[in-house]
Amino acid sequence: MIAPLAVEVGRPVRFEGYAEDYGVPIVTVQFSLDDGENWTDYDVSGSTGDRWVHWTFEYTPEEPGTYCLLVRSVNERGEVSPEPDTAAFTAFVPEG
């Protein structure tokens, strides 16, 4: 789990990290902001099994509230990470 963040509504927040699958190449890293109902792919199909994959994801919250980003990887065998990583964040409207 990634430490919670507080971000302003209308301003982008960027997440980044690394993924690896113990010698099996990762072909995509996926992101969900709706508890896993829908996933957005970040193509990393050029990766190899002997290196960590660096990924980035940027999101701009349009409404105040609490959000939870789920992050998982898919390897070349089609196997999905057993448990996604999570990043919680709260979007707020600045005073003034």
Side-chain angles (χ1 to χ4, degrees):
M1 173 141 171
I2 301 168
L5 298 170
V7 299
E8 288 185 31
V9 168
R11 292 205 172 208
V13 58
R14 182 180 171 150
F15 299 91
E16 61 184 294
Y18 292 90
E20 68 96 23
D21 197 5
Y22 306 102
V24 180
I26 292 174
V27 295
T28 191
V29 176
Q30 297 180 323
F31 307 96
S32 176
L33 283 161
D34 60 6
D35 202 29
E37 292 292 319
N38 298 287
W39 294 91
T40 300
D41 290 346
Y42 181 87
D43 182 23
V44 293
S45 58
S47 68
T48 62
D50 62 343
R51 294 189 182 154
W52 288 71
V53 173
H54 181 252
W55 56 264
T56 60
F57 180 80
E58 190 170 276
Y59 177 73
T60 303
E62 299 299 327
E63 300 289 331
T66 301
Y67 296 80
C68 183
L69 174 67
L70 302 178
V71 182
R72 68 183 188 184
S73 63
V74 180
N75 67 25
E76 72 178 4
R77 298 178 189 153
E79 299 166 333
V80 177
S81 301
E83 188 70 33
D85 282 330
T86 61
F89 61 101
T90 301
F92 65 94
V93 176
E95 295 181 22

Coordinates of all heavy atoms in Angstrom, one line a residue:
M1 N 0.8 -1.2 0.0 CA 0.0 0.0 0.0 C 0.9 1.2 0.0 O 1.9 1.3 0.7 CB -0.9 0.0 1.2 CG -1.7 1.3 1.4 SD -3.3 0.9 1.9 CE -3.9 2.5 2.3
I2 N 0.5 2.2 -0.8 CA 1.2 3.5 -0.9 C 0.6 4.5 0.1 O -0.6 4.4 0.3 CB 1.1 4.0 -2.4 CG1 1.7 3.0 -3.3 CG2 1.8 5.3 -2.5 CD1 1.4 3.2 -4.8
A3 N 1.4 5.3 0.7 CA 0.9 6.2 1.7 C -0.2 7.1 1.2 O -0.1 7.6 0.0 CB 2.0 7.1 2.3
P4 N -1.3 7.4 1.9 CA -2.3 8.3 1.5 C -1.8 9.7 1.1 O -0.9 10.2 1.7 CB -3.3 8.4 2.7 CG -2.9 7.3 3.5 CD -1.5 7.0 3.3
L5 N -2.5 10.3 0.1 CA -2.2 11.7 -0.3 C -3.4 12.6 -0.2 O -4.5 12.1 -0.2 CB -1.8 11.6 -1.8 CG -0.6 10.8 -2.2 CD1 -0.5 10.8 -3.8 CD2 0.7 11.5 -1.7
A6 N -3.1 13.9 -0.2 CA -4.2 14.9 -0.3 C -3.8 15.7 -1.5 O -2.7 16.2 -1.6 CB -4.3 15.7 1.0
V7 N -4.8 15.8 -2.5 CA -4.6 16.6 -3.7 C -5.7 17.5 -4.0 O -6.8 17.3 -3.5 CB -4.4 15.6 -4.9 CG1 -3.2 14.7 -4.7 CG2 -5.6 14.8 -5.1
E8 N -5.4 18.6 -4.7 CA -6.5 19.5 -5.1 C -7.3 19.1 -6.2 O -6.8 18.5 -7.2 CB -5.8 20.9 -5.5 CG -5.2 21.6 -4.3 CD -4.7 23.0 -4.7 OE1 -5.3 23.6 -5.7 OE2 -3.7 23.4 -4.1
V9 N -8.6 19.3 -6.1 CA -9.5 19.0 -7.2 C -9.0 19.8 -8.5 O -8.7 21.0 -8.3 CB -11.0 19.4 -6.9 CG1 -11.9 19.4 -8.1 CG2 -11.5 18.5 -5.8
G10 N -9.0 19.2 -9.6 CA -8.6 19.9 -10.9 C -7.1 19.9 -11.1 O -6.7 20.4 -12.2
R11 N -6.4 19.4 -10.2 CA -4.9 19.3 -10.4 C -4.5 17.8 -10.6 O -4.9 17.0 -9.8 CB -4.2 19.9 -9.2 CG -4.4 21.4 -9.2 CD -3.2 22.0 -8.5 NE -3.4 23.4 -8.5 CZ -2.3 24.2 -8.5 NH1 -1.1 23.8 -8.4 NH2 -2.5 25.5 -8.6
P12 N -3.6 17.6 -11.5 CA -3.2 16.2 -11.7 C -2.4 15.6 -10.6 O -1.6 16.4 -10.0 CB -2.4 16.2 -13.0 CG -2.0 17.6 -13.2 CD -3.0 18.5 -12.5
V13 N -2.5 14.4 -10.3 CA -1.7 13.7 -9.4 C -1.0 12.5 -10.1 O -1.7 11.9 -10.9 CB -2.5 13.2 -8.1 CG1 -3.6 12.3 -8.5 CG2 -1.6 12.5 -7.1
R14 N 0.2 12.4 -9.9 CA 1.0 11.3 -10.6 C 1.5 10.3 -9.7 O 2.0 10.5 -8.6 CB 2.2 12.0 -11.3 CG 3.0 11.0 -12.1 CD 4.2 11.7 -12.8 NE 5.0 10.8 -13.3 CZ 5.8 11.0 -14.4 NH1 5.8 12.1 -15.0 NH2 6.5 10.0 -14.9
F15 N 1.3 9.0 -10.1 CA 1.7 7.9 -9.4 C 2.8 7.2 -10.2 O 2.6 7.2 -11.5 CB 0.6 6.9 -9.1 CG -0.5 7.5 -8.3 CD1 -1.6 8.2 -8.8 CD2 -0.5 7.4 -6.9 CE1 -2.6 8.7 -8.1 CE2 -1.5 8.0 -6.1 CZ -2.5 8.6 -6.7
E16 N 3.7 6.6 -9.6 CA 4.7 5.8 -10.3 C 5.3 4.7 -9.4 O 5.2 4.8 -8.2 CB 5.8 6.6 -10.9 CG 6.7 7.4 -9.9 CD 7.7 8.3 -10.6 OE1 8.6 7.7 -11.3 OE2 7.6 9.5 -10.5
G17 N 5.7 3.7 -10.1 CA 6.3 2.5 -9.3 C 7.0 1.5 -10.2 O 7.2 1.8 -11.4
Y18 N 7.3 0.4 -9.7 CA 7.9 -0.7 -10.4 C 7.2 -2.0 -10.3 O 6.5 -2.2 -9.2 CB 9.4 -0.9 -9.9 CG 10.3 0.3 -10.2 CD1 10.4 1.4 -9.3 CD2 11.0 0.4 -11.4 CE1 11.2 2.5 -9.6 CE2 11.8 1.4 -11.7 CZ 11.9 2.5 -10.8 OH 12.7 3.6 -11.1
A19 N 7.3 -2.8 -11.3 CA 6.6 -4.1 -11.2 C 7.6 -5.1 -11.8 O 8.5 -4.8 -12.6 CB 5.4 -4.1 -12.0
E20 N 7.5 -6.4 -11.3 CA 8.3 -7.5 -11.8 C 7.6 -8.8 -11.5 O 6.8 -8.8 -10.6 CB 9.8 -7.4 -11.4 CG 10.0 -7.7 -9.9 CD 10.4 -9.1 -9.6 OE1 10.9 -9.8 -10.5 OE2 10.1 -9.6 -8.5
D21 N 8.0 -9.8 -12.3 CA 7.3 -11.1 -12.1 C 8.3 -12.2 -12.1 O 8.0 -13.3 -12.7 CB 6.2 -11.3 -13.1 CG 5.2 -12.4 -12.7 OD1 5.3 -12.9 -11.6 OD2 4.3 -12.7 -13.6
Y22 N 9.4 -12.1 -11.4 CA 10.3 -13.2 -11.1 C 10.7 -14.0 -12.4 O 10.5 -15.2 -12.5 CB 9.7 -14.1 -10.1 CG 9.3 -13.4 -8.8 CD1 8.0 -13.1 -8.5 CD2 10.3 -13.0 -7.9 CE1 7.7 -12.5 -7.4 CE2 10.0 -12.3 -6.8 CZ 8.6 -12.0 -6.5 OH 8.3 -11.4 -5.4
G23 N 11.2 -13.2 -13.4 CA 11.7 -13.8 -14.6 C 10.7 -14.0 -15.7 O 11.1 -14.3 -16.9
V24 N 9.4 -13.7 -15.5 CA 8.4 -13.7 -16.6 C 8.1 -12.3 -17.0 O 7.8 -11.5 -16.2 CB 7.1 -14.4 -16.1 CG1 6.1 -14.5 -17.2 CG2 7.4 -15.8 -15.6
P25 N 8.3 -12.0 -18.3 CA 8.0 -10.6 -18.8 C 6.6 -10.1 -18.5 O 5.6 -10.9 -18.7 CB 8.3 -10.7 -20.3 CG 9.2 -11.8 -20.5 CD 8.8 -12.8 -19.4
I26 N 6.5 -8.9 -18.0 CA 5.2 -8.2 -17.9 C 4.9 -7.5 -19.2 O 5.7 -6.9 -19.8 CB 5.3 -7.2 -16.7 CG1 5.5 -8.0 -15.4 CG2 4.1 -6.4 -16.6 CD1 5.7 -7.1 -14.2
V27 N 3.6 -7.7 -19.6 CA 3.2 -7.0 -20.8 C 2.3 -5.8 -20.6 O 2.2 -5.0 -21.5 CB 2.5 -8.0 -21.8 CG1 3.4 -9.1 -22.2 CG2 1.2 -8.6 -21.1
T28 N 1.7 -5.7 -19.5 CA 0.9 -4.5 -19.2 C 0.8 -4.3 -17.7 O 0.8 -5.3 -16.9 CB -0.5 -4.6 -19.8 OG1 -1.1 -3.3 -19.7 CG2 -1.4 -5.6 -19.2
V29 N 0.7 -3.0 -17.3 CA 0.3 -2.7 -15.9 C -1.0 -2.1 -16.0 O -1.3 -1.3 -16.9 CB 1.4 -1.7 -15.3 CG1 0.9 -1.3 -13.9 CG2 2.7 -2.4 -15.2
Q30 N -2.0 -2.4 -15.1 CA -3.3 -2.0 -15.2 C -3.7 -1.2 -14.0 O -3.2 -1.4 -12.9 CB -4.3 -3.2 -15.3 CG -4.1 -4.0 -16.6 CD -5.0 -5.2 -16.6 OE1 -5.4 -5.8 -15.6 NE2 -5.5 -5.4 -17.8
F31 N -4.6 -0.2 -14.2 CA -5.0 0.7 -13.2 C -6.6 0.8 -13.1 O -7.2 0.8 -14.1 CB -4.5 2.2 -13.5 CG -3.1 2.2 -13.7 CD1 -2.6 2.2 -15.0 CD2 -2.2 2.3 -12.7 CE1 -1.2 2.2 -15.2 CE2 -0.8 2.3 -12.9 CZ -0.3 2.3 -14.2
S32 N -7.1 0.9 -11.9 CA -8.6 1.0 -11.7 C -8.9 2.0 -10.6 O -8.2 2.0 -9.6 CB -9.2 -0.4 -11.3 OG -10.6 -0.3 -11.1
L33 N -9.9 2.8 -10.9 CA -10.3 3.8 -9.9 C -11.8 3.5 -9.5 O -12.4 4.2 -8.8 CB -10.2 5.2 -10.4 CG -8.8 5.8 -10.4 CD1 -8.7 7.0 -11.3 CD2 -8.4 6.2 -9.0
D34 N -12.3 2.3 -9.9 CA -13.7 1.9 -9.6 C -13.7 0.5 -8.9 O -14.6 -0.3 -9.2 CB -14.6 2.0 -10.8 CG -14.2 1.1 -11.9 OD1 -13.2 0.3 -11.8 OD2 -14.8 1.3 -13.0
D35 N -12.8 0.3 -8.1 CA -12.7 -1.0 -7.3 C -12.6 -2.2 -8.2 O -13.1 -3.3 -7.9 CB -13.9 -1.1 -6.4 CG -13.6 -2.0 -5.2 OD1 -12.5 -2.2 -4.8 OD2 -14.6 -2.7 -4.7
G36 N -11.9 -2.1 -9.3 CA -11.7 -3.2 -10.2 C -12.7 -3.5 -11.2 O -12.6 -4.5 -11.9
E37 N -13.8 -2.7 -11.3 CA -14.8 -2.9 -12.3 C -14.2 -2.7 -13.8 O -14.6 -3.4 -14.7 CB -16.0 -2.0 -12.1 CG -16.8 -2.3 -10.9 CD -17.5 -3.6 -11.0 OE1 -18.1 -3.9 -12.0 OE2 -17.6 -4.3 -10.0
N38 N -13.4 -1.7 -13.9 CA -12.8 -1.4 -15.2 C -11.3 -1.1 -15.0 O -10.9 -0.6 -13.9 CB -13.4 -0.1 -15.8 CG -14.9 -0.3 -16.1 OD1 -15.2 -0.9 -17.0 ND2 -15.7 0.3 -15.2
W39 N -10.5 -1.5 -15.9 CA -9.0 -1.4 -15.9 C -8.5 -0.6 -17.1 O -9.0 -0.8 -18.2 CB -8.4 -2.7 -15.8 CG -8.7 -3.5 -14.5 CD1 -9.7 -4.3 -14.3 CD2 -8.0 -3.4 -13.3 NE1 -9.7 -4.8 -13.0 CE2 -8.7 -4.2 -12.4 CE3 -6.9 -2.7 -12.8 CZ2 -8.2 -4.4 -11.0 CZ3 -6.5 -2.9 -11.5 CH2 -7.1 -3.7 -10.6
T40 N -7.5 0.3 -16.8 CA -6.8 1.0 -17.9 C -5.5 0.4 -18.0 O -4.8 0.2 -17.0 CB -6.7 2.5 -17.5 OG1 -8.0 3.0 -17.4 CG2 -5.9 3.2 -18.6
D41 N -5.1 0.1 -19.3 CA -3.8 -0.6 -19.5 C -2.7 0.4 -19.8 O -2.9 1.4 -20.4 CB -3.8 -1.5 -20.8 CG -4.7 -2.7 -20.6 OD1 -5.0 -3.1 -19.4 OD2 -5.0 -3.4 -21.6
Y42 N -1.5 0.1 -19.3 CA -0.2 0.8 -19.5 C 0.7 -0.2 -20.2 O 1.2 -1.1 -19.5 CB 0.3 1.4 -18.2 CG 1.6 2.2 -18.4 CD1 1.6 3.5 -18.6 CD2 2.9 1.5 -18.2 CE1 2.8 4.2 -18.7 CE2 4.0 2.3 -18.3 CZ 4.0 3.6 -18.6 OH 5.1 4.3 -18.7
D43 N 0.8 -0.1 -21.5 CA 1.6 -1.1 -22.3 C 3.1 -1.1 -21.9 O 3.7 -0.1 -22.0 CB 1.4 -0.9 -23.7 CG 2.1 -1.9 -24.6 OD1 2.3 -3.0 -24.1 OD2 2.3 -1.6 -25.8
V44 N 3.6 -2.2 -21.5 CA 5.0 -2.4 -21.3 C 5.5 -3.7 -21.9 O 6.4 -4.4 -21.5 CB 5.3 -2.4 -19.7 CG1 5.0 -1.1 -19.1 CG2 4.6 -3.5 -19.0
S45 N 4.9 -4.0 -23.1 CA 5.2 -5.3 -23.8 C 6.6 -5.4 -24.3 O 7.0 -6.5 -24.6 CB 4.2 -5.4 -25.0 OG 4.3 -4.4 -25.9
G46 N 7.4 -4.3 -24.3 CA 8.8 -4.4 -24.7 C 9.7 -4.9 -23.5 O 10.9 -5.0 -23.7
S47 N 9.1 -5.1 -22.4 CA 9.9 -5.5 -21.2 C 10.5 -6.9 -21.3 O 10.0 -7.7 -22.1 CB 9.1 -5.3 -19.9 OG 8.1 -6.3 -19.9
T48 N 11.5 -7.2 -20.5 CA 12.1 -8.5 -20.4 C 11.9 -9.0 -19.0 O 11.6 -8.3 -18.1 CB 13.6 -8.5 -20.8 OG1 14.2 -7.7 -19.8 CG2 13.8 -7.9 -22.2
G49 N 12.1 -10.3 -18.8 CA 11.9 -11.0 -17.5 C 13.0 -10.7 -16.5 O 12.8 -11.0 -15.4
D50 N 14.1 -10.1 -17.0 CA 15.2 -9.9 -16.1 C 15.3 -8.4 -15.6 O 16.3 -8.1 -14.9 CB 16.5 -10.3 -16.7 CG 16.8 -9.5 -18.0 OD1 15.9 -8.8 -18.5 OD2 18.0 -9.5 -18.4
R51 N 14.3 -7.6 -15.8 CA 14.3 -6.2 -15.4 C 13.0 -5.8 -14.7 O 11.9 -6.3 -15.1 CB 14.6 -5.3 -16.6 CG 15.9 -5.5 -17.2 CD 16.2 -4.4 -18.2 NE 17.5 -4.6 -18.8 CZ 17.8 -4.1 -19.9 NH1 16.9 -3.5 -20.7 NH2 19.0 -4.4 -20.4
W52 N 13.1 -4.9 -13.8 CA 11.9 -4.3 -13.3 C 11.2 -3.4 -14.3 O 11.9 -2.7 -15.1 CB 12.2 -3.5 -12.0 CG 12.6 -4.3 -10.8 CD1 13.7 -5.0 -10.7 CD2 11.8 -4.5 -9.7 NE1 13.7 -5.7 -9.5 CE2 12.6 -5.4 -8.8 CE3 10.6 -4.1 -9.2 CZ2 12.1 -5.8 -7.6 CZ3 10.2 -4.5 -8.0 CH2 10.9 -5.3 -7.2
V53 N 9.9 -3.3 -14.3 CA 9.2 -2.4 -15.2 C 8.8 -1.1 -14.5 O 8.2 -1.2 -13.4 CB 7.9 -3.1 -15.7 CG1 7.1 -2.2 -16.6 CG2 8.3 -4.4 -16.5
H54 N 9.2 0.0 -15.0 CA 8.8 1.3 -14.4 C 7.5 1.7 -15.1 O 7.3 1.7 -16.3 CB 9.9 2.3 -14.7 CG 9.6 3.7 -14.1 ND1 9.2 4.7 -14.8 CD2 9.5 4.1 -12.8 CE1 9.0 5.8 -14.0 NE2 9.1 5.4 -12.8
W55 N 6.5 2.1 -14.2 CA 5.2 2.6 -14.8 C 4.9 3.9 -14.2 O 5.3 4.3 -13.1 CB 4.1 1.6 -14.5 CG 3.9 1.2 -13.0 CD1 4.4 0.2 -12.4 CD2 3.2 2.0 -12.1 NE1 4.1 0.2 -11.1 CE2 3.3 1.3 -10.8 CE3 2.4 3.2 -12.1 CZ2 2.7 1.7 -9.7 CZ3 1.8 3.6 -10.9 CH2 2.0 2.9 -9.7
T56 N 4.0 4.7 -14.9 CA 3.5 6.0 -14.3 C 2.0 6.0 -14.7 O 1.5 5.4 -15.6 CB 4.2 7.2 -15.0 OG1 4.0 7.2 -16.4 CG2 5.6 7.2 -14.6
F57 N 1.2 6.7 -13.8 CA -0.2 6.9 -14.0 C -0.5 8.3 -13.5 O -0.2 8.6 -12.4 CB -1.0 5.8 -13.3 CG -2.5 6.0 -13.5 CD1 -3.1 5.5 -14.6 CD2 -3.3 6.5 -12.5 CE1 -4.5 5.6 -14.8 CE2 -4.6 6.7 -12.6 CZ -5.2 6.2 -13.8
E58 N -1.2 9.1 -14.3 CA -1.6 10.4 -13.9 C -3.1 10.5 -14.0 O -3.8 10.1 -14.9 CB -1.0 11.5 -14.8 CG -1.1 12.9 -14.3 CD -0.3 13.9 -15.1 OE1 0.9 14.0 -14.7 OE2 -0.8 14.5 -16.0
Y59 N -3.7 11.1 -12.9 CA -5.2 11.3 -12.9 C -5.5 12.7 -12.3 O -4.8 13.1 -11.4 CB -5.8 10.2 -12.0 CG -7.2 10.3 -11.8 CD1 -8.1 10.0 -12.8 CD2 -7.8 10.8 -10.6 CE1 -9.5 10.1 -12.6 CE2 -9.1 10.9 -10.4 CZ -10.0 10.6 -11.4 OH -11.3 10.7 -11.3
T60 N -6.5 13.3 -12.8 CA -7.0 14.6 -12.4 C -8.4 14.4 -11.8 O -9.3 14.2 -12.5 CB -7.0 15.6 -13.5 OG1 -5.7 15.7 -14.1 CG2 -7.4 17.0 -13.0
P61 N -8.5 14.5 -10.4 CA -9.8 14.4 -9.8 C -10.7 15.6 -10.1 O -10.2 16.7 -10.0 CB -9.5 14.2 -8.3 CG -8.2 14.8 -8.1 CD -7.4 14.6 -9.4
E62 N -11.9 15.4 -10.5 CA -12.8 16.5 -10.9 C -13.8 16.8 -9.7 O -14.4 17.9 -9.8 CB -13.6 16.2 -12.2 CG -12.7 16.0 -13.4 CD -11.8 17.2 -13.7 OE1 -12.3 18.4 -13.5 OE2 -10.7 17.1 -14.2
E63 N -13.9 15.9 -8.8 CA -14.8 16.1 -7.6 C -14.0 15.9 -6.3 O -13.2 15.0 -6.3 CB -15.9 15.1 -7.7 CG -16.8 15.2 -9.0 CD -17.6 16.5 -9.0 OE1 -18.0 16.9 -7.9 OE2 -17.9 17.0 -10.1
P64 N -14.4 16.6 -5.3 CA -13.8 16.3 -4.0 C -14.3 14.9 -3.5 O -15.3 14.4 -3.8 CB -14.3 17.4 -3.0 CG -15.4 18.0 -3.8 CD -15.3 17.7 -5.2
G65 N -13.4 14.2 -2.7 CA -13.8 12.9 -2.2 C -12.5 12.1 -2.0 O -11.4 12.5 -2.2
T66 N -12.8 10.8 -1.5 CA -11.7 9.9 -1.3 C -11.7 8.9 -2.5 O -12.7 8.4 -2.9 CB -12.0 9.1 0.0 OG1 -12.0 10.1 1.1 CG2 -10.9 8.1 0.3
Y67 N -10.5 8.6 -3.0 CA -10.3 7.8 -4.1 C -9.4 6.6 -3.7 O -8.5 6.8 -2.8 CB -9.7 8.5 -5.3 CG -10.6 9.6 -5.9 CD1 -10.7 10.9 -5.3 CD2 -11.3 9.4 -7.0 CE1 -11.5 11.9 -5.8 CE2 -12.1 10.4 -7.6 CZ -12.2 11.6 -6.9 OH -13.0 12.6 -7.5
C68 N -9.5 5.5 -4.4 CA -8.5 4.4 -4.2 C -8.1 3.9 -5.6 O -8.9 3.4 -6.4 CB -9.2 3.3 -3.4 SG -8.1 1.9 -3.0
L69 N -6.8 4.1 -5.9 CA -6.2 3.6 -7.1 C -5.7 2.1 -6.9 O -5.0 1.9 -6.0 CB -5.1 4.5 -7.6 CG -4.3 4.0 -8.8 CD1 -5.2 4.0 -10.1 CD2 -3.0 4.8 -9.0
L70 N -6.2 1.2 -7.7 CA -5.7 -0.2 -7.7 C -4.7 -0.3 -8.9 O -4.9 0.2 -10.0 CB -6.8 -1.2 -7.9 CG -7.9 -1.1 -6.9 CD1 -9.0 -2.2 -7.2 CD2 -7.4 -1.4 -5.5
V71 N -3.6 -1.0 -8.6 CA -2.5 -1.2 -9.6 C -2.2 -2.7 -9.6 O -1.9 -3.3 -8.6 CB -1.3 -0.4 -9.3 CG1 -0.2 -0.6 -10.4 CG2 -1.6 1.1 -9.1
R72 N -2.2 -3.3 -10.8 CA -1.8 -4.7 -11.0 C -1.0 -4.9 -12.3 O -1.1 -4.0 -13.2 CB -3.0 -5.6 -10.9 CG -3.9 -5.5 -12.1 CD -5.1 -6.4 -12.0 NE -5.9 -6.4 -13.2 CZ -7.1 -7.0 -13.3 NH1 -7.6 -7.7 -12.3 NH2 -7.7 -7.0 -14.5
S73 N -0.3 -6.0 -12.4 CA 0.4 -6.3 -13.6 C -0.1 -7.6 -14.2 O -0.7 -8.4 -13.6 CB 1.9 -6.4 -13.3 OG 2.1 -7.5 -12.5
V74 N 0.1 -7.7 -15.5 CA -0.3 -8.9 -16.3 C 1.0 -9.4 -17.0 O 1.7 -8.6 -17.7 CB -1.4 -8.6 -17.3 CG1 -1.7 -9.9 -18.1 CG2 -2.6 -8.0 -16.6
N75 N 1.4 -10.7 -16.9 CA 2.6 -11.2 -17.5 C 2.3 -11.8 -18.9 O 1.1 -11.8 -19.3 CB 3.4 -12.1 -16.6 CG 2.6 -13.4 -16.3 OD1 1.8 -13.9 -17.1 ND2 3.0 -14.1 -15.2
E76 N 3.3 -12.2 -19.6 CA 3.1 -12.7 -21.0 C 2.3 -14.0 -21.0 O 1.8 -14.4 -22.1 CB 4.5 -12.9 -21.7 CG 5.3 -14.0 -21.1 CD 6.6 -14.2 -21.9 OE1 6.9 -13.4 -22.8 OE2 7.3 -15.2 -21.6
R77 N 2.1 -14.6 -19.9 CA 1.3 -15.8 -19.8 C -0.2 -15.5 -19.6 O -1.0 -16.4 -19.5 CB 1.7 -16.7 -18.7 CG 3.1 -17.3 -18.8 CD 3.5 -18.1 -17.6 NE 4.9 -18.4 -17.6 CZ 5.6 -18.7 -16.5 NH1 5.0 -18.6 -15.3 NH2 6.8 -19.0 -16.5
G78 N -0.5 -14.2 -19.4 CA -1.8 -13.8 -19.2 C -2.2 -13.8 -17.7 O -3.4 -13.6 -17.3
E79 N -1.2 -14.1 -16.8 CA -1.5 -14.2 -15.4 C -1.5 -12.8 -14.8 O -0.6 -12.0 -15.0 CB -0.4 -15.0 -14.7 CG -0.4 -16.4 -15.2 CD 0.9 -17.2 -14.9 OE1 1.9 -16.6 -14.6 OE2 0.8 -18.4 -14.8
V80 N -2.5 -12.5 -14.0 CA -2.7 -11.2 -13.3 C -2.1 -11.3 -11.9 O -2.2 -12.3 -11.2 CB -4.2 -10.8 -13.3 CG1 -4.4 -9.5 -12.6 CG2 -4.7 -10.8 -14.7
S81 N -1.6 -10.2 -11.4 CA -1.1 -10.1 -10.0 C -2.2 -10.6 -9.1 O -3.4 -10.3 -9.2 CB -0.8 -8.7 -9.6 OG 0.2 -8.1 -10.4
P82 N -1.8 -11.5 -8.1 CA -2.9 -12.0 -7.2 C -3.6 -11.0 -6.4 O -4.7 -11.1 -6.0 CB -2.1 -13.0 -6.4 CG -0.7 -12.7 -6.5 CD -0.5 -12.0 -7.8
E83 N -2.9 -9.9 -6.0 CA -3.4 -8.9 -5.1 C -2.9 -7.5 -5.7 O -1.7 -7.3 -5.7 CB -3.0 -9.1 -3.7 CG -3.6 -8.2 -2.7 CD -5.1 -8.5 -2.5 OE1 -5.5 -9.7 -2.6 OE2 -5.8 -7.6 -2.2
P84 N -3.8 -6.6 -6.1 CA -3.3 -5.3 -6.6 C -2.8 -4.5 -5.4 O -3.2 -4.6 -4.3 CB -4.6 -4.7 -7.2 CG -5.7 -5.4 -6.5 CD -5.3 -6.8 -6.2
D85 N -1.8 -3.6 -5.8 CA -1.4 -2.6 -4.9 C -2.5 -1.5 -4.8 O -3.2 -1.3 -5.8 CB -0.1 -2.0 -5.3 CG 1.1 -2.9 -5.0 OD1 1.0 -3.6 -4.0 OD2 2.1 -2.8 -5.7
T86 N -2.5 -0.7 -3.7 CA -3.5 0.3 -3.6 C -2.8 1.6 -3.2 O -1.8 1.6 -2.5 CB -4.6 0.0 -2.6 OG1 -3.9 -0.1 -1.3 CG2 -5.3 -1.3 -2.9
A87 N -3.4 2.7 -3.7 CA -3.0 4.1 -3.4 C -4.2 4.9 -3.1 O -5.0 5.1 -4.0 CB -2.2 4.7 -4.5
A88 N -4.4 5.2 -1.8 CA -5.6 6.0 -1.4 C -5.2 7.5 -1.5 O -4.1 7.9 -1.1 CB -6.1 5.7 0.0
F89 N -6.2 8.3 -2.0 CA -6.0 9.8 -2.0 C -7.3 10.5 -1.8 O -8.3 10.0 -2.2 CB -5.2 10.2 -3.2 CG -5.8 10.0 -4.5 CD1 -6.5 11.0 -5.2 CD2 -5.8 8.8 -5.1 CE1 -7.1 10.8 -6.4 CE2 -6.3 8.5 -6.3 CZ -7.0 9.6 -7.0
T90 N -7.2 11.7 -1.2 CA -8.3 12.5 -1.0 C -8.2 13.8 -1.8 O -7.1 14.4 -1.8 CB -8.5 12.9 0.5 OG1 -8.6 11.7 1.2 CG2 -9.7 13.8 0.7
A91 N -9.2 14.1 -2.6 CA -9.2 15.3 -3.4 C -10.1 16.4 -2.6 O -11.1 16.1 -2.1 CB -9.8 15.1 -4.8
F92 N -9.5 17.6 -2.5 CA -10.2 18.7 -1.8 C -10.2 19.9 -2.6 O -9.4 20.1 -3.6 CB -9.5 18.9 -0.5 CG -8.1 19.4 -0.6 CD1 -7.8 20.8 -0.6 CD2 -7.0 18.6 -0.8 CE1 -6.5 21.3 -0.8 CE2 -5.7 19.1 -1.0 CZ -5.5 20.4 -0.9
V93 N -11.2 20.8 -2.3 CA -11.2 22.1 -2.9 C -10.5 23.1 -2.0 O -10.8 23.2 -0.8 CB -12.7 22.6 -3.1 CG1 -12.8 24.0 -3.7 CG2 -13.4 21.6 -4.0
P94 N -9.5 23.7 -2.5 CA -8.7 24.7 -1.6 C -9.6 25.8 -1.1 O -10.4 26.3 -1.9 CB -7.5 25.1 -2.5 CG -7.9 24.8 -3.9 CD -9.0 23.7 -3.8
E95 N -9.3 26.3 0.1 CA -10.0 27.5 0.6 C -9.5 28.7 0.0 O -8.3 28.8 -0.4 CB -9.8 27.5 2.1 CG -10.5 26.4 2.8 CD -10.3 26.5 4.3 OE1 -10.1 27.6 4.8 OE2 -10.4 25.4 5.0
G96 N -10.4 29.7 -0.2 CA -9.9 31.0 -0.7 C -10.3 31.3 -2.0 O -10.5 31.5 -3.0

